[in-house]
Amino acid sequence: MPYEPVLLARINKPNSGKLEGYRADGGYETIARVLKDKQPLDVTTQVKDAGLRGRGGAGFPTGLKWTFLPKDHPGPVYLCVNADESEPCTYNNRILMEKDPHQVLEGIMLACYAIKSPKAFYYVRYEYGDSYRSLAAAVEELYAAGFLGKGIFGSSFDLDIVLHRGAGAYICGEETGLIESLEGKRAWPRIKPPFPAIEGAFRKPTIVNNVETLACVTQIMKRGKEWFQSLGVPPDPKNPRDAGSYGPKLYTLAGHVEKSVCVEVPMGITIRDLVEKHGGGVWKGRKAKAVNPGGLSMGFVDVNAPLKGEDGKTEYDIPLDFNGPGRVQCLGLGTAAVTVIDDQTSMVDVLHNVCQFFSHESCGQCTPCREGTGWMLKITDRLRRGLGRKEDLDILVDVADRIGIMPGTTICGLSDGAGWPVKTAIRKFRAEFEAAIKSGAKSKYAKSLTMAGAH
């Protein structure tokens, strides 16, 4: 029996973003019931027991994060909604914000009630103009209906939602960088501890949750934890640290596929099935060479490399859950933005493009990231001009291994994400890089180093 979407169930309905249409489909009945019948701790417990893990990249258990708030703090406590969706080829949050903003807003209400927060800050990526306008209209509708402000839905709970537009910076997707930007400062991530749950926005306890995560909160409180755990992948009994990969998931497909699309399926679909069944296969009748399983920062999958311990399968067959990409040396599931690279595309060009992005988006606070991303860009630029040396490959891997919070050299994980595609590309496709160096061929995308008109 085919899976019937829940998170995307309403996106193709007429006026899907309007309050009237959302209420006709049972919208806001869940928050009204919860405010009447449940205590805040009941909501936290249900979300925790459901096994919901954050959909923004790290996969941290959502309900557990809520419990980190200090129990005796006089308040206020804040919720920050991370809608700074800037990972390349990721657009699952954008679709929810544009097409079904009230589903996310109801999730915000439920989360705020659970953590006893009177105010939520909805931080929206600057480039998402349509999303911002859709959200602004939805929030305005809620205030006009009396669903926001004092005593929402006839309860004693007060809640305000404030929309805030970013200024076009990838680093604001990091939760403390987002908070710094929200406060009107340069978005330099903070040293942790203290973590935001102890001291976050305006030095108050703060929870930061992703858009898709909050949409899942709506559905968990509406349908129950049993429904949520009936989907996805249960914990590995051999791994006590595995919290499972439960629930529905939004995956986005981009790159060299016949159809770029956002699809909702139970967590755990393989890359091969996602590309072939939902993306129409690789474009122009070509074959896949490499795949980003969850945004550029997760690194590369070699679709032709055998999958260890699985006869007849390759890395193309890994499940897209919180554990699958790690089995093939990728950083994780990330944003579940799957980007396909075909067999006629040079990995030298791909890697240069990746390094260009991360060098540009490094905030510059930490020297290893600021300088390391710049060095990697310069070296990959030299490679694509046909001027590379064999030792450049080892230098790139060495730099990539040394930058980030995992080796302990930076404040945030941007440089881990900058290094991962570099080291996975070179380790998995080294023969291609060495052949490019040996041939001395210049990429057709490399611009001339001489100035136009110079003699």
Side-chain angles (χ1 to χ4, degrees):
M1 186 175 178
Y3 172 75
E4 188 173 329
V6 172
L7 301 175
L8 299 182
R10 302 187 63 258
I11 63 169
N12 293 317
K13 291 188 175 185
N15 299 317
S16 64
K18 298 294 184 182
L19 176 59
E20 181 182 3
Y22 187 66
R23 293 197 73 191
D25 291 331
Y28 295 111
E29 289 179 3
T30 301
I31 180 63
R33 172 176 53 80
V34 166
L35 288 170
K36 181 180 178 183
D37 299 337
K38 292 183 181 290
Q39 295 299 312
L41 183 59
D42 298 332
V43 180
T44 299
T45 301
Q46 185 162 329
V47 171
K48 185 179 177 181
D49 291 348
L52 172 63
R53 295 173 64 176
R55 276 21 183 177
F60 194 83
T62 303
L64 181 61
K65 180 189 273 192
W66 293 356
T67 67
F68 292 163
L69 292 166
K71 303 295 185 290
D72 55 352
H73 196 278
V77 171
Y78 296 125
L79 174 71
C80 286
V81 183
N82 188 343
D84 190 68
E85 187 175 55
S86 303
E87 185 72 29
C89 301
T90 307
Y91 51 95
N92 36 26
N93 292 345
R94 175 172 61 83
I95 287 173
L96 289 173
M97 290 188 285
E98 290 179 4
K99 303 295 186 182
D100 198 3
H102 285 286
Q103 179 185 194
V104 181
L105 289 165
E106 187 168 8
I108 292 171
M109 293 178 182
L110 289 160
C112 284
Y113 180 64
I115 65 174
K116 302 178 183 177
S117 170
K119 182 170 287 188
F121 295 99
Y122 205 136
Y123 190 102
V124 185
R125 178 184 176 185
Y126 175 77
E127 293 88 344
Y128 277 5
D130 288 345
S131 298
Y132 182 82
R133 286 182 284 273
S134 175
L135 289 168
V139 170
E140 187 177 336
E141 283 184 304
L142 290 175
Y143 275 108
F147 293 174
L148 284 176
K150 297 289 184 182
I152 66 172
F153 298 97
S155 71
S156 60
F157 181 62
D158 303 335
L159 177 62
D160 289 301
I161 297 177
V162 178
L163 294 182
H164 183 93
R165 293 186 80 175
Y170 176 79
I171 193 64
C172 292
E174 198 278 337
E175 60 181 13
T176 60
L178 181 153
I179 289 169
E180 287 285 295
S181 175
L182 179 66
E183 293 179 355
K185 294 178 278 187
R186 180 180 292 182
W188 276 7
R190 297 175 180 176
I191 294 173
K192 299 175 281 288
F195 289 90
I198 303 300
E199 186 178 305
F202 310 105
R203 304 197 69 179
K204 301 296 182 183
T206 304
I207 293 294
V208 183
N209 283 143
N210 161 268
V211 168
E212 185 185 341
T213 306
L214 291 163
C216 286
V217 169
T218 300
Q219 299 303 329
I220 288 170
M221 297 309 299
K222 179 180 180 180
R223 299 167 183 270
K225 66 179 183 180
E226 293 79 10
W227 163 80
F228 192 76
Q229 291 193 334
S230 71
L231 305 171
V233 182
D236 180 356
K238 298 179 183 178
N239 182 4
R241 299 181 63 185
D242 182 14
S245 300
Y246 289 121
K249 184 73 188 80
L250 302 185
Y251 295 93
T252 56
L253 261 175
H256 299 153
V257 289
E258 288 290 352
K259 183 171 66 172
S260 294
V261 66
C262 176
V263 297
E264 177 190 342
V265 292
M267 189 171 278
I269 189 172
T270 65
I271 298 175
R272 187 187 300 274
D273 282 350
L274 189 67
V275 172
E276 294 182 359
K277 294 180 180 179
H278 298 280
V282 183
W283 72 345
K284 301 179 181 179
R286 299 176 184 176
K287 295 181 179 180
K289 176 198 288 185
V291 175
N292 283 122
L296 291 184
S297 56
M298 296 300 105
F300 291 99
V301 165
D302 178 356
V303 302
N304 297 308
L307 189 59
K308 289 183 180 179
E310 306 242 6
D311 292 340
K313 292 187 177 181
T314 71
E315 293 187 6
Y316 205 28
D317 296 296
I318 60 167
L320 289 168
D321 58 19
F322 288 113
N323 294 326
R327 291 172 57 192
V328 293
Q329 295 77 53
C330 288
L331 188 52
L333 179 64
T335 60
V338 176
T339 308
V340 178
I341 297 151
D342 71 25
D343 59 353
Q344 295 186 32
T345 300
S346 165
M347 288 303 293
V348 176
D349 287 330
V350 171
L351 193 58
H352 174 265
N353 199 23
V354 171
C355 290
Q356 195 170 38
F357 173 80
F358 285 109
S359 177
H360 182 267
E361 293 299 341
S362 173
C363 77
Q365 181 177 196
C366 304
T367 302
C369 180
R370 181 183 67 244
E371 301 302 322
T373 54
W375 293 342
M376 292 192 296
L377 173 59
K378 290 171 185 174
I379 294 171
T380 53
D381 186 57
R382 188 163 69 229
L383 290 174
R384 74 182 190 136
R385 293 182 188 281
L387 304 173
R389 307 163 302 179
K390 194 172 181 180
E391 57 264 34
D392 285 340
L393 303 181
D394 293 325
I395 294 171
L396 282 169
V397 171
D398 188 55
V399 173
D401 277 338
R402 292 173 183 268
I403 59 176
I405 54 174
M406 296 177 79
T409 59
T410 60
I411 290 172
C412 89
L414 184 146
S415 48
D416 295 273
W420 229 268
V422 172
K423 54 191 175 186
T424 52
I426 292 172
R427 285 170 177 158
K428 296 183 179 188
F429 300 96
R430 190 175 183 107
E432 181 178 339
F433 282 93
E434 289 180 347
I437 291 170
K438 187 175 182 180
S439 71
K442 179 180 177 181
S443 167
K444 63 181 178 181
Y445 300 107
K447 296 179 181 178
S448 173
L449 289 170
T450 58
M451 294 178 61
H455 298 286

